[in-house]
Amino acid sequence: MSSDKSNQLLIREAIRKIALGRSMERINLAPGGMSGIGTARMIHGYVAKIHDDPSDEEFSDYGGTIDVGEYPDETASAEPVIHKGVLLSAATNSEGGFLIVPVLFSDVTIFMDAATRYAYVVNFSHVDILRLNARTETVIGVTEMEELDPESDSSPDYDELEATGNETSTRYTPTAVTTTVRNDKDKEAASVIDAESITHTVDKSEVRQTADKVVQKVNSTTVAVADNKVTLGDENATEPLVLGNELARLMLDFLTECSKIMTPTLMGTMSPINMPNFISLTSRIQNFLSKTSYTK
């Protein structure tokens, strides 16, 4: 019985060493009585494989995870150590939520429980995909703070530093995206996007786009563009404007026809006496047309 029990212990210890691999050395080196520190490892390695191909034979077992190879150190074995199925941010798949996918062969740090062999990525050097998919709101921003003076005993701590006034932020909700930029001179620019409109605002100017209209406004001056209609001055304007080039050509044609008028006299039909004025006016209209901008 004693011999059988001894053999069982040897077999169990051998299986334990095979299962834990290099974890055995870490566990043996770790101090005891520290809330299980001996059962956890922090491993530095590289991304050996990303399981994102459904046609791969390993995808059914490891889909949504990565394989991590350990960098050799003073306890390294002769063969490379590959940890398969390392979870990305504790997620077992890539459907929704928070997800970070590292670049193949980039540096990563993983945390692994030596007993259960579960491993999670905790740090990345390079990332292919970074996704934040919240259910209610996501805010990303930068707020500039006053510099900390490490030489002064009276300098505020980092959490007490005053804001300089320069800040940017983008707020995502299920229905809209709002981007705001402010500076220390109390100037602000904002952009709001929802499913039916896009609005850009800078101080007293505004551009608003919908499916059927684009309106540009500065103070009370407005230019609105809609289907088959352009309004100036106010988007509700109803009085039509005569296009400058069309009016000039109409005047030119009118003067040309007037210059052809013949007046009957005792000496027969003659051109009007003010004929030189028609020629002068025609020249002025031609000069006006040369300064006109044309649109199609």
Side-chain angles (χ1 to χ4, degrees):
M1 290 293 294
S2 176
S3 177
D4 291 342
K5 186 175 182 180
S6 177
N7 290 336
Q8 290 177 1
L9 291 174
L10 289 174
I11 294 173
R12 187 176 68 180
E13 185 65 16
I15 294 174
R16 181 167 175 261
K17 288 182 177 180
I18 293 172
L20 296 179
R22 292 180 54 201
S23 300
M24 277 295 301
E25 292 141 0
R26 302 279 182 172
I27 293 173
N28 292 334
L29 291 173
M34 297 184 67
S35 300
I37 191 172
T39 65
R41 293 180 59 198
M42 190 76 76
I43 301 170
H44 302 290
Y46 61 93
V47 180
K49 184 176 181 179
I50 300 175
H51 294 282
D52 58 355
D53 184 3
S55 63
D56 187 2
E57 60 182 8
E58 293 184 322
F59 187 80
S60 59
D61 295 325
Y62 299 111
T65 67
I66 63 174
D67 293 348
V68 175
E70 285 195 30
Y71 285 130
D73 58 18
E74 68 278 0
T75 61
S77 60
E79 297 295 326
V81 178
I82 303 294
H83 301 279
K84 299 189 71 65
V86 177
L87 300 176
L88 299 170
S89 301
T92 57
N93 59 58
S94 57
E95 301 296 329
F98 177 78
L99 177 68
I100 299 178
V101 179
V103 177
L104 188 64
F105 302 124
S106 61
D107 297 339
V108 292
T109 301
I110 67 175
F111 176 85
M112 185 177 69
D113 188 300
T116 63
R117 305 291 288 176
Y118 288 132
Y120 305 88
V121 179
V122 294
N123 195 23
F124 310 81
S125 66
H126 298 83
V127 174
D128 258 344
I129 299 173
L130 173 58
R131 185 177 66 210
L132 295 172
N133 190 5
R135 299 186 62 182
T136 303
E137 180 182 80
T138 298
V139 178
I140 300 175
V142 176
T143 301
E144 185 182 61
M145 311 298 291
E146 298 288 350
E147 292 293 333
L148 177 71
D149 184 3
E151 304 297 329
S152 175
D153 294 335
S154 60
S155 177
D157 292 336
Y158 273 111
D159 59 342
E160 298 174 343
L161 293 173
E162 294 289 336
T164 65
N166 295 323
E167 61 178 327
T168 60
S169 67
T170 299
R171 178 175 177 264
Y172 300 86
T173 68
T175 58
V177 177
T178 303
T179 298
T180 305
V181 180
R182 300 185 182 91
N183 65 13
D184 54 7
K185 298 179 179 62
D186 293 328
K187 298 296 184 180
E188 178 179 316
S191 176
V192 180
I193 303 175
D194 59 37
E196 297 183 356
S197 67
I198 301 175
T199 303
H200 302 286
T201 305
V202 181
D203 200 11
K204 297 179 181 180
S205 68
E206 178 183 294
V207 178
R208 187 171 189 270
Q209 179 180 358
T210 61
D212 56 0
K213 184 182 292 186
V214 177
V215 178
Q216 294 180 301
K217 182 184 297 184
V218 178
N219 285 337
S220 59
T221 303
T222 303
V223 177
V225 179
D227 188 24
N228 294 323
K229 183 180 181 181
V230 177
T231 57
L232 303 175
D234 191 309
E235 61 179 309
N236 298 317
T238 57
E239 290 295 324
L241 291 175
V242 177
L243 296 179
N245 56 346
E246 291 187 7
L247 177 60
R249 291 188 181 280
L250 177 61
M251 293 173 61
L252 186 60
D253 292 341
F254 176 75
L255 289 175
T256 301
E257 292 301 319
C258 287
S259 66
K260 297 178 181 179
I261 297 176
M262 303 300 287
T263 303
T265 67
L266 294 175
M267 300 175 63
T269 56
M270 299 182 65
S271 300
I273 192 171
N274 60 341
M275 181 61 187
N277 294 339
F278 286 96
I279 298 174
S280 175
L281 287 173
T282 302
S283 176
R284 290 171 59 187
I285 295 174
Q286 292 284 8
N287 185 48
F288 168 76
L289 280 174
S290 68
K291 298 178 180 179
T292 303
S293 296
Y294 295 88
T295 59
K296 183 178 180 180

